[in-house]
Amino acid sequence: DSDPVGFDSLDLNERRGRSTDAELDRRDGTRTSEALTPAAAARDEFQEELVIRPLHSGDIYASFQFRTLWDTDFLQEGQKVSHYRLFPKSLGQVLSKFSVRELHISFTQGFWRTMQWGQPFIPSPPGAELWVWFHDTVSDVDGNWKELTNVLSGIFCASLNFIDLTNTVQPSASFKPLGLGNATDHRFLRYATLPREIVCTENLTPWKKLLPCGSKAGLAVLLKSEKLFHSSFHSQAVHIRPVCQDEQCTSKAWELRQTLNVVFDLYTAGQGKKEWSLFKMFSRTLTEACPLATSSKVYVDITDNPELFELSPATPLLSQAVVLGDRRTYSVFDLTRAETFGQLRSLNLLLRWKGDGEMLRPLLHAERYVAGFGLQTGEIHTVIYNNHPYRAFPVLLMDSVPWYLQLYIHTLTVTSKSRDNKPSYIHYQPAKDRHRPHLLEMLIQLPPHSMTEVTVQFERALLKWTEYTPDPNHGFYVGSSVVSALVPSMVAMNTNFTQDQPLFSSFVPVKEESSYFVRVYTEPLLVNLPTPDFSMPYNVICLTCTVVAVGYGSFYNLLTRTFQVDEPSLPLAKRLANLIRRIRGVPLLT
Amino acid sequence: MELREFINFPGLTFPGLKITLLKPDIFFKQWYSWYSKIHSSHLESPLEVFHNHVYRLGIPDSHIVLMLADDMACNYRNPKPATVFSHKNMELNVYGDDVEVDYRGYEVTVENFLRVLTGRLPPSTPRSKRLLSDDRSNILIYLTGHGGNGFLKFQDSEEISNMELADAFEQMWQKRRYNELLFIIDTCQGASMYERFYSPNLMALASSQVGEDSLSHQPDLGIGVHLMDKYTFYLLEFLEEVHPASQANMNDLFKVCPQSQCVSTPGHRTDLFQRDPGSVLITDFFGSVRKVEITKDTINLTSPVEPPIKRSGSSDIQIESLTYVDQLPVAEIIHQKPKQKDWHPPDGFILGLWTLILLVFFQTYGIKHLKHIF
């Protein structure tokens, strides 16, 4: 069939992508020819993992990662992938139709508080974020991008169709591919963010449907929307990229990672008690691993134990991993082993706080706010903190500002420790009204133990009255800035790629031992634009019509009105008398 | 319900797929019944209709186009996020765990609604956002919100008028996008919305007549808004008794919520409908049934294809090991050459300007002087 996506012949109930009997029947005839092409029945494996990290403020951070690894090549010529097993068919077809090399999409509700919670395993900005690397065979990247956003908006039930050229940028140095590859021509990269996008059950439902076991078995049974959205931070993401198939790294495999990060608040979800359990967090306990998973594990961060909290049930399995520049120790619960579940056949972890501890201060942290007053001008301040006591390191700051905040780049200042700090690389693409947003990328060297402030002034534009949203007084959102950096690490990072590495430590590829790559997102901004009074068109019409009616009407009357004397009508008797008088020829009565 | 009853169900028939008793799933090929809803400011009503009744009576998610203008479930003011209750006793969460909202927030506009109805959507619109009905489909449209004499409000900033709606239905009729259409509206002066219909096979129900207001039913003192409208509440109570094999017909639906309960007078319009309303079953619009053909033959399931251990091509060629890309190559970034801009042919303005210049030039100097230039 010539239609690789097959959207026209597919039913939407097939989102999970399992082949149906009808397709099996059709494939019987072509089975012999397909056995010759190796990509038709490639190996795929599925791993799931949950990491629970208790935070010092009493909150708890849970991070789910579901990884499907598939030895196949979507983009190889002449090979049609039609047999999907664990990898969801809807995403596979999207990848092959739009020649996507890497796809990263995230939906986040809430803002990650770096100073209170540390660094997340997978960072994400508030709202929706989508960045895609296309293959270099694509000729019309913008066209593919537009269609891709529409298809994804249907898959994830989100308004991603609002992504168009007015909020898409093409970063020139940030967002390098996280997967395999050598050539990185930034013409094939597109990045867009929708800070206003809300995340709710209707986004979680299709996300869960992409998992091989759905939400019926394994760790995904814990994903209940009533509890997940009653949290300070909720982020679900899908990351697709090519990775090394094995340690020698001679061939590629496709990796699909679905991640869900959630931080439960001590006071709203925890009722103020510093005691957490799986049942309290998710209103469910674990009963079995996903049968299709080769590994299903729960990690609990016990590095600060035994002073911080007490974990039950105790487990002898421990694992050490170097993640985010720190060596952490984890208790491991392996769900593929039956004895993890104990007598009751269910696993409910209980964490009871014992004392307070000191959190390791994150080395890189950024903030952003709007200064100024009035509805005409303003100033954007981005503040980046380097908390390392003696090491300086460079960071890449990327700012994407919508066109209706007109930036004046001649007022751009970068100061560190109250001295001017000249960036070693600046890339600025000015905005085009209603076509393109501003893009500002700078490579700034942060001195040790300092605060760097980037300020730029802007002017607010007056939009056309049809361009305002139905609630313009809420304000307009400006997407988060992205700060990418290689932060010096305190312990040596592991540069070897091993198969049984836990998933949370193998997300970002590590190239050198002394530093780790981190991405920090700032707050999105909410700015008020000068808003017209929307009742004015009605008022203007009324006023104009009144003025015209009164003015023109009176003038017209003056010119064309004539006055005639009107005889009053006489009573009947006098009228008869007048009739007789007319006959007689005598003057009439009045 | 008995299997025999289920099979003898007198619904519209299509050539369905042949299924064996071994197969657990039923594969839908034909669109049977379509259900499209929109809400402007009352969220619980369409969700309750969706969750409890239409879904229960058999219409799958892919046949439902749900448009919600406000996000209430995950709004920060909702004390229980991701939940929406239709009754103040908070028994049933109508937002459920598998709701799929197709148009939400700013996407709910008059233009999008009319485009969904008439099918004039941009080619890249995904299937879940389209109304993929044909001339054998029955469509149910349920609208609720604030309205007036001849209009319904969208998002507090626009309105759809009854003439627009009537014209949209006429377009649908001419393009054969429906077989029969049931239109239910629950707003103030709702009857004015169906006054102007002129296409055949339309049946309409409204919660109030022209000049009357539709009232809401129960407030929730915790949030401070009303949960549902009176007409919808009694309509849903009526639908609770409908099951997939029910023989209840439209005349029963017209009797829902008399003035004693609803305070407003519900109205209906059946003159454009070709069949007698008494013979039209409720499940023709609210439910969906597929024709099932059962066979007693056995089918041998083929054994799965054995995956080859190694790729056939890679053993001969020596491939060098692949590497990951450097995430922040500082030296490379600093010495980056400026991005090669793709060459675009000159824009309209520049082209026009050059044409003007050349025209003036040739006007002044004439063609025969060209040889001095070239």
Side-chain angles (χ1 to χ4, degrees), chain B residues 113-311:
Chain B
F113 177 56
L114 294 177
R115 280 184 186 276
V116 165
L117 286 182
T118 53
R120 292 174 193 274
L121 289 159
S124 50
T125 316
R127 282 162 66 91
S128 57
K129 288 186 165 175
R130 287 178 189 261
L131 179 65
L132 297 157
S133 57
D134 55 15
D135 61 327
R136 315 281 308 260
S137 310
N138 292 353
I139 303 187
L140 165 66
I141 299 184
Y142 173 82
L143 295 149
T144 178
H146 288 296
N149 191 354
F151 67 91
L152 169 72
K153 262 172 80 169
F154 268 60
Q155 298 264 21
D156 270 352
S157 68
E158 350 174 65
E159 300 162 352
I160 184 171
S161 68
N162 47 10
M163 239 8 258
E164 280 177 336
L165 206 53
D167 289 338
F169 288 153
E170 176 65 15
Q171 275 194 53
M172 285 172 79
W173 173 252
Q174 291 192 2
K175 286 160 83 167
R176 298 285 177 267
R177 281 171 70 78
Y178 69 90
N179 174 39
E180 287 173 347
L181 198 144
L182 175 62
F183 176 76
I184 305 182
I185 181 161
D186 187 358
T187 62
C188 301
Q189 309 192 49
S192 60
M193 290 303 282
Y194 60 66
E195 271 171 5
R196 304 289 195 107
F197 289 171
Y198 54 93
S199 320
N201 280 350
L202 290 178
M203 190 176 340
L205 273 121
S207 60
S208 54
Q209 301 291 337
V210 176
E212 285 181 348
D213 288 334
S214 283
L215 303 172
S216 49
H217 188 65
Q218 281 177 353
D220 179 324
L221 299 171
I223 307 177
V225 294
H226 285 261
L227 290 172
M228 205 184 288
D229 296 330
K230 278 192 160 55
Y231 180 74
T232 309
F233 183 77
Y234 290 108
L235 179 70
L236 294 171
E237 244 185 26
F238 171 78
L239 286 176
E240 299 260 330
E241 274 118 56
V242 175
H243 57 90
S246 146
Q247 300 292 313
N249 57 33
M250 284 297 162
N251 282 336
D252 305 323
L253 197 62
F254 296 152
K255 292 197 207 106
V256 163
C257 205
Q259 198 183 6
S260 51
Q261 282 177 324
C262 258
V263 184
S264 58
T265 322
H268 55 90
R269 181 176 176 179
T270 52
D271 56 320
L272 294 164
F273 206 73
Q274 272 155 21
R275 292 195 283 158
D276 170 41
S279 66
V280 178
L281 298 172
I282 302 243
T283 46
D284 274 357
F285 291 101
F286 282 88
S288 157
V289 168
R290 272 120 192 98
K291 190 176 181 198
V292 170
E293 218 180 290
I294 300 191
T295 167
K296 292 213 174 86
D297 306 327
T298 49
I299 287 185
N300 284 327
L301 294 176
T302 52
S303 57
V305 178
E306 279 301 318
I309 311 293
K310 218 168 63 156
R311 282 180 208 254

Side-chain angles (χ1 to χ4, degrees), chain A residues 10 196-197 200 202 511, chain B residues 74 95 104 106 127 324:
Chain A
L10 266 189
R196 187 105 200 231
E197 193 65 19
C200 207
E202 65 262 17
K511 290 279 233 181
Chain B
C74 289
Y95 213 67
R104 61 181 194 171
Y106 296 148
R127 282 162 66 91
Y324 287 99

Side-chain angles (χ1 to χ4, degrees), chain A residues 7-15 20-22 24 28 31 36 38 41-42 71-73 76 101 109-110 147 150-151 153-154 157-159 161-162 170 172-173 176-182 184 187 196-203 205-206 208-209 224-226 229-230 241-245 248-252 394-396 424-425 427 429 443 469-471 484-486 497 508-509 511 517 519, chain B residues 17 20 23-24 26-29 31 55 60-63 68 70-76 78-83 85 93 95-107 112 122 124-129 154-157 299-314 318-336 339-342 347:
Chain A
F7 279 149
D8 294 334
S9 59
L10 266 189
D11 190 277
L12 233 49
N13 286 331
E14 275 196 322
R15 263 194 199 151
T20 59
D21 273 4
L24 260 177
D28 270 340
R31 196 158 46 96
L36 298 172
D71 292 342
T72 186
D73 200 348
Q76 217 166 328
R101 184 173 142 192
Q109 174 205 63
E147 282 192 41
N150 277 310
V151 166
S153 90
C157 282
S159 342
N161 44 317
F162 284 136
Q170 198 179 314
S172 66
K176 294 250 183 262
L178 284 169
L180 290 177
N182 37 14
T184 56
R187 276 186 300 144
R196 187 105 200 231
E197 193 65 19
I198 40 156
V199 190
C200 207
T201 315
E202 65 262 17
N203 304 112
T205 307
K208 284 196 285 192
K209 284 189 184 162
K224 290 292 159 200
S225 54
E226 283 151 5
F229 290 104
H230 199 50
R241 58 178 180 162
V243 294
C244 292
Q245 192 185 348
Q248 287 83 30
C249 211
T250 45
S251 57
K252 282 192 207 182
V395 300
L396 189 61
S424 25
Y425 169 79
H427 171 78
Q429 191 183 51
L443 186 69
T469 54
D471 52 351
S484 322
L486 278 172
F497 160 73
V508 181
K511 290 279 233 181
F517 178 73
R519 206 172 261 146
Chain B
L17 270 193
T20 68
K23 191 165 168 180
I26 297 181
F27 186 77
F28 306 127
K29 247 307 197 219
W31 304 120
Y55 211 46
D61 243 319
S62 50
H63 290 219
L68 299 177
D70 283 326
D71 164 53
M72 283 188 201
C74 289
N75 196 315
Y76 292 116
N78 187 357
K80 292 186 175 210
T83 59
F85 296 105
N93 173 20
Y95 213 67
D97 233 356
D98 52 2
V99 68
E100 281 174 19
V101 182
D102 303 299
Y103 287 86
R104 61 181 194 171
Y106 296 148
E107 288 180 296
N112 279 347
S124 50
T125 316
R127 282 162 66 91
S128 57
K129 288 186 165 175
F154 268 60
Q155 298 264 21
D156 270 352
S157 68
I299 287 185
N300 284 327
L301 294 176
T302 52
S303 57
V305 178
E306 279 301 318
I309 311 293
K310 218 168 63 156
R311 282 180 208 254
S312 55
S314 61
Q318 183 65 26
I319 304 175
E320 72 278 9
S321 69
L322 307 157
T323 52
Y324 287 99
V325 178
D326 220 349
Q327 288 300 305
L328 196 69
V330 177
E332 197 188 299
I333 291 174
I334 294 177
H335 298 113
Q336 200 162 321
K339 192 167 54 113
Q340 296 288 355
K341 253 176 91 158
D342 299 329
D347 211 351

Side-chain angles (χ1 to χ4, degrees), chain A residues 313-319 330-333 337:
Chain A
T315 173
L317 289 173
L318 290 178
S319 153
Y330 294 89
S331 284
V332 184
F333 294 85
R337 293 210 220 149

Side-chain angles (χ1 to χ4, degrees), chain A residues 72-90:
Chain A
T72 186
D73 200 348
F74 287 111
L75 305 170
Q76 217 166 328
E77 289 303 315
Q79 285 179 9
K80 178 71 63 64
V81 180
S82 55
H83 182 65
Y84 290 85
R85 206 177 129 247
L86 297 176
F87 200 93
K89 186 174 184 177
S90 49

